[in-house]
Amino acid sequence: MDNLSTKVDELKLENYEAKLNPHLFKNILNSIQSNAYQTFYTIDKLANVLDYILYESKANFVTVKDEIDFTKNFIEINKVKVSPLFDFQVKTKIDEQSSFYQEKIIAPLISIDFIENAFKHTDFQQANSFIKIVIELNDKSFQIQVINKISQRNSLKKESSGHGSQSLEHRLKMVYGSHFSLSKIAEQDVFVAQLKINLHEFYTKMHSS
């Protein structure tokens, strides 16, 4: 357990820099400004996101509930830029009776890359464009899947690394070792990113060290 904490601490500086990425907040504020009728609602969500980023995420681990709540707020902020006619779907399958729901076992901010990149690489004016987000929690694992149609105006589909940088995968390996799976697949202009963390296996490892 001490070795795990040391590895997580080594990543803190890198993670803090990512959390305070000015481009992220500039995009959010631009979205709020262009949709004044939703300003109050969105600012409330933004305040929750900022509180989480600046305070809650300083811990090595947060509860699954807190990370899910943050993810939902982050989605709502980004939805400001989406037309009501756009095909945008968010589905949650959360077992609140799961023994892990209130457990501090999730590395904070693991969902940002998936959601931010989906919004970044989707052309909201393109016919048949869409974003679908699925978040799941049961008594064994946590999973997030983001599917979107890739904009023809970028070369994401040609990048072998997929969405975002490799820093998330590096961080997951440092924290969860072999107890997670991460896949990024681009096929026929559709990008699928999926993360699954085996909470049961990781929890057992944490408490047997």
Side-chain angles (χ1 to χ4, degrees), residues 8 19 51-53 55-71 100-111 142 171 175-176 199 202 206:
V8 175
K19 295 173 199 174
D51 281 344
Y52 186 82
I53 290 174
Y55 304 111
E56 301 300 327
S57 64
K58 288 183 178 180
N60 292 340
F61 295 99
V62 296
T63 67
V64 178
K65 177 185 182 301
D66 286 344
E67 180 68 13
I68 290 173
D69 288 344
F70 161 77
T71 302
F100 299 113
Y101 186 60
Q102 297 280 3
E103 186 73 33
K104 290 188 176 183
I105 195 171
I106 287 286
L109 305 174
I110 58 174
S111 60
F142 169 84
R171 183 184 179 205
V175 175
Y176 292 105
L199 301 177
F202 183 66
M206 288 178 67

Side-chain angles (χ1 to χ4, degrees), residues 126-189:
Q126 181 181 340
N128 301 319
S129 194
F130 69 91
I131 294 176
K132 180 179 179 180
I133 301 172
V134 181
I135 305 169
E136 299 183 50
L137 170 70
N138 55 46
D139 214 32
K140 290 187 178 297
S141 63
F142 169 84
Q143 181 170 300
I144 180 169
Q145 181 185 66
V146 180
I147 308 172
N148 67 286
K149 185 165 185 179
I150 306 168
S151 170
Q152 297 298 317
R153 296 181 296 183
N154 68 65
S155 58
L156 177 63
K157 58 185 176 181
K158 299 178 182 178
E159 299 176 9
S160 59
S161 60
H163 279 172
S165 67
Q166 296 180 347
S167 60
L168 172 62
E169 184 171 4
H170 175 67
R171 183 184 179 205
L172 289 167
K173 286 180 179 178
M174 293 287 285
V175 175
Y176 292 105
S178 62
H179 304 297
F180 80 97
S181 61
L182 177 65
S183 63
K184 306 171 187 177
I185 302 171
E187 185 174 346
Q188 296 182 345
D189 296 331

